[in-house]
Amino acid sequence: SSGINAEYGDAGDQEEMEARQPGNYLAVGCMSPQIEIWDLDIINTSEPVALLGERVKQSKKKPKVGTKGHSDAVMSLSWNRQTPNILASGGADNTILLWDLETASAKECLKIHTGKIPALSWHLAEPTTLLSGSYDHTCSVLDCRTQNGRSWTLDGEVESITWHRSSPFSFVAGTSEGSAVCVDIRQEKPLFTIAA
């Protein structure tokens, strides 16, 4: 599996965020529990403009999961297109963190899965609705304001997810079993499964 994941967004470093100046940014999560924010408008830079999370020191004790960052690898990222200062990250620590880039801190730690989270996607029209996929064989849709949501169990570990562009109530998930599963979030069971 890939050791790096990235998500393009339109936010800013701390000073630019405070002034609400948009820019071209790339969020990069890798095997360390930190997320690097790179400004794509700066040429020949050797350092990110911001780091989210704290570097975990090697220890036999497992670090606590919380608003300081993930305790294990960052496996997925999703930049909120309608609220560009919000970034969601999914980790190998089975948590989803919601980051506020204006303060460069995690504001929420969501524990809705029992497996690693390799896939996240903000809804295309509803800025508070987050879709997640996990190695626990589930996909979940969550309203981040209320933390209410629902889940569907699929035939394998969820490896990728995306909202259906022409149907706002549907998403497609790819699983480790080679299936593409289409789900209508208003229904209890998936609409259909295509075996690849």
Side-chain angles (χ1 to χ4, degrees):
S1 80
S2 171
I4 297 177
N5 60 72
E7 176 74 5
Y8 174 77
D10 183 28
D13 64 21
Q14 187 103 18
E15 291 175 11
E16 287 178 335
M17 285 183 249
E18 290 170 6
R20 298 273 185 198
Q21 297 173 355
N24 295 301
Y25 295 88
L26 182 71
V28 178
C30 52
M31 299 316 286
S32 76
Q34 290 184 306
I35 301 167
E36 298 175 344
I37 306 295
W38 292 85
D39 186 341
L40 300 180
D41 295 327
I42 298 175
I43 299 173
N44 295 329
T45 183
S46 62
E47 293 185 14
V49 293
L51 283 172
L52 304 178
E54 296 178 356
R55 183 168 294 280
V56 175
K57 295 181 177 107
Q58 294 296 335
S59 167
K60 291 187 180 190
K61 281 178 33 178
K62 185 132 176 125
K64 287 184 178 179
V65 174
T67 55
K68 292 187 177 186
H70 289 285
S71 64
D72 205 342
V74 176
M75 297 184 69
S76 57
L77 297 167
S78 184
W79 216 302
N80 192 315
R81 302 283 189 239
Q82 294 162 28
T83 312
N85 65 301
I86 301 298
L87 178 72
S89 63
D93 57 8
N94 308 344
T95 65
I96 299 169
L97 295 179
L98 302 181
W99 297 89
D100 181 351
L101 298 179
E102 289 181 352
T103 61
S105 63
K107 296 299 182 186
E108 293 286 335
C109 179
L110 307 173
K111 298 177 184 179
I112 58 175
H113 290 288
T114 59
K116 298 175 182 181
I117 303 163
L120 292 171
S121 182
W122 287 102
H123 194 274
L124 302 172
E126 297 292 331
T128 62
T129 302
L130 182 64
L131 172 63
S132 60
S134 174
Y135 283 4
D136 66 7
H137 296 218
T138 64
C139 283
S140 296
V141 173
L142 181 73
D143 183 334
C144 294
R145 294 172 299 189
T146 62
Q147 295 193 11
N148 290 329
R150 63 187 305 185
S151 294
W152 295 263
T153 301
L154 306 184
D155 65 352
E157 295 175 345
V158 179
E159 296 179 337
S160 63
I161 52 174
T162 187
W163 287 100
H164 193 294
R165 297 224 180 263
S166 60
S167 176
F169 297 108
S170 299
F171 67 87
V172 177
T175 73
S176 60
E177 297 298 311
S179 301
V181 182
C182 184
V183 176
D184 183 322
I185 62 173
R186 300 168 294 184
Q187 305 293 323
E188 293 291 322
K189 297 189 182 217
L191 293 175
F192 60 86
T193 300
I194 300 171

